Amino acid sequence: MAKRLSARRVKIHRQYTYDSAADAVGVTAHTVRAWRPAGLAVLDSQKPHLILGIELKRFVESRASKKSYKLAPDEFYCMSCRAPRTPYGAMADYVPFNPARGRLVALCGVCEASCNKFVSLKMCGELAKTLTIATRARC
Ligand SMILES: [Zn+2]
């Protein structure tokens, strides 16, 4: 799971270099640089490049809120689409990894990439009402 970002240590009236911004947010300076094309505003008319605290805070908070999805029981998070999706053909495979829990494997309803979801055997029984679930051998 990706690391959760926190903007709590970012001061809105300060200016940050890539390194100091990285320290405040808890990521690497390389990550902060990679945020530029993703929309982080950087004052780059002179060196060192500076990031306004209020911009950094706004950017980090918008990214943190985008990362939290509450999936419906019959939805899978597709890593290719980066969005919650219903499984292709309402089908999924259950791969048990212990007697009580297992993994549901389905294909994305939009791009047909493989999606996974960890479920309890009890939850799998509930989902069998809406999805066609085949049980696969443990691999
Ligand atoms: Zn997809």
Side-chain angles (χ1 to χ4, degrees):
M1 189 177 168
K3 192 173 181 177
R4 265 203 191 276
L5 300 174
S6 172
R8 289 183 57 210
R9 287 174 50 208
V10 176
K11 307 289 179 237
I12 60 171
H13 296 296
R14 257 194 77 183
Q15 296 170 348
Y16 293 88
T17 62
Y18 292 116
D19 290 318
S20 62
D23 286 343
V25 179
V27 295
T28 63
H30 186 81
T31 300
V32 177
R33 282 188 183 90
W35 286 343
R36 267 184 83 176
L40 177 64
V42 174
L43 305 174
D44 57 0
S45 60
Q46 43 184 286
K47 299 235 172 162
H49 293 177
L50 294 175
I51 304 159
L52 296 178
I54 192 159
E55 284 298 323
L56 181 62
K57 193 170 189 101
R58 187 179 305 146
F59 184 83
V60 170
E61 283 174 349
S62 75
R63 282 185 83 90
S65 66
K66 271 189 215 155
K67 284 199 169 177
S68 179
Y69 287 100
K70 186 71 183 166
L71 295 175
D74 62 341
E75 277 183 331
F76 290 73
Y77 186 79
C78 177
M79 297 302 280
S80 296
C81 300
R82 294 183 181 271
R85 300 288 188 213
T86 52
Y88 178 80
M91 294 181 297
D93 288 348
Y94 180 73
V95 183
F97 62 79
N98 72 28
R101 290 187 61 81
R103 187 166 51 103
L104 275 180
V105 183
L107 298 178
C108 171
V110 174
C111 72
E112 298 184 24
S114 180
C115 305
N116 292 286
K117 181 177 189 166
F118 290 94
V119 293
S120 64
L121 193 57
K122 185 181 161 201
M123 186 64 172
C124 191
E126 298 269 316
L127 285 173
K129 292 171 191 163
T130 53
L131 302 175
T132 306
I133 297 175
T135 301
R136 255 198 245 164
R138 191 172 170 174
C139 40

